[in-house]
Amino acid sequence: MIRRFLLTLCIVACAVAANAQSAFFQKCENEKGMSTVYITKAMLRMVGAMKIDGPAEIATIADKLDGMEIVSADTDAAKPKLLKAAQEMVSQKGYSLLMKVKDDGDNVSIYQAKLKNGLNRFVLVADDAVILLEGTLTLDDVSNYVKSK
């Protein structure tokens, strides 16, 4: 009886975790020429607890994140597809453009969507990568992290 309950609990947990990925991420996951990385809250907590040489913002931002998704274009042919998918996402989901930076040929835009319970979702769109951050982090947290890179 307990084994059946634990098995059911594991299946439900896996289903919930699979649904935690955004539709944008799931769309890009099977695109040729794109790489995807999904980092769970548990892994982010481990990173936040580790003593890492480098900017202190990593630990601060990791503690405030519930999840992170990274999608990068590995080929020149995939770059326009990635940027188009990112633009569709931020225009349809009620994101606000917070910041746009052009520096030495690099273009980065940061969008924010306010969610329930004080959560925020930030989308960082670069020329060849998109990063989605979700949690209780603020624009200052995201800006400090981007500056540290």
Side-chain angles (χ1 to χ4, degrees):
M1 182 71 172
I2 290 176
R3 285 177 99 179
R4 188 177 298 164
F5 173 74
L6 290 175
L7 181 61
T8 304
L9 184 62
C10 286
I11 291 170
V12 170
C14 289
V16 170
N19 288 335
Q21 297 172 355
S22 69
F24 167 77
F25 185 87
Q26 291 175 352
K27 177 180 180 180
C28 295
E29 200 168 28
N30 296 318
E31 278 291 328
K32 187 175 182 179
M34 290 189 200
S35 297
T36 56
V37 177
Y38 176 70
I39 305 171
T40 65
K41 184 176 185 172
M43 180 59 98
L44 290 164
R45 295 292 184 262
M46 286 175 35
V47 170
M50 295 171 72
K51 304 244 187 279
I52 303 172
D53 291 334
E57 289 81 10
I58 292 172
T60 304
I61 205 171
D63 288 339
K64 295 180 177 183
L65 284 172
D66 290 340
M68 177 186 271
E69 299 173 5
I70 304 167
V71 180
S72 62
D74 299 330
T75 64
D76 288 337
K79 288 179 186 180
K81 292 179 186 177
L82 176 62
L83 294 176
K84 181 180 178 193
Q87 278 305 119
E88 288 173 359
M89 175 184 57
V90 296
S91 66
Q92 295 174 359
K93 300 287 183 180
Y95 287 90
S96 301
L97 177 63
L98 299 177
M99 186 184 308
K100 196 169 202 166
V101 178
K102 290 187 178 190
D103 184 39
D104 290 335
D106 294 329
N107 299 313
V108 178
S109 299
I110 301 176
Y111 298 86
Q112 176 188 22
K114 293 184 183 245
L115 308 174
K116 296 177 183 176
N117 301 326
L119 294 175
N120 289 303
R121 182 177 294 141
F122 291 93
V123 179
L124 289 73
V125 180
D127 294 328
D128 60 355
V130 176
I131 302 173
L132 285 83
L133 308 168
E134 188 172 309
T136 58
L137 67 162
T138 65
L139 178 59
D140 288 337
D141 297 326
V142 174
S143 296
N144 290 335
Y145 182 73
V146 170
K147 288 177 190 174
S148 73
K149 291 293 173 191

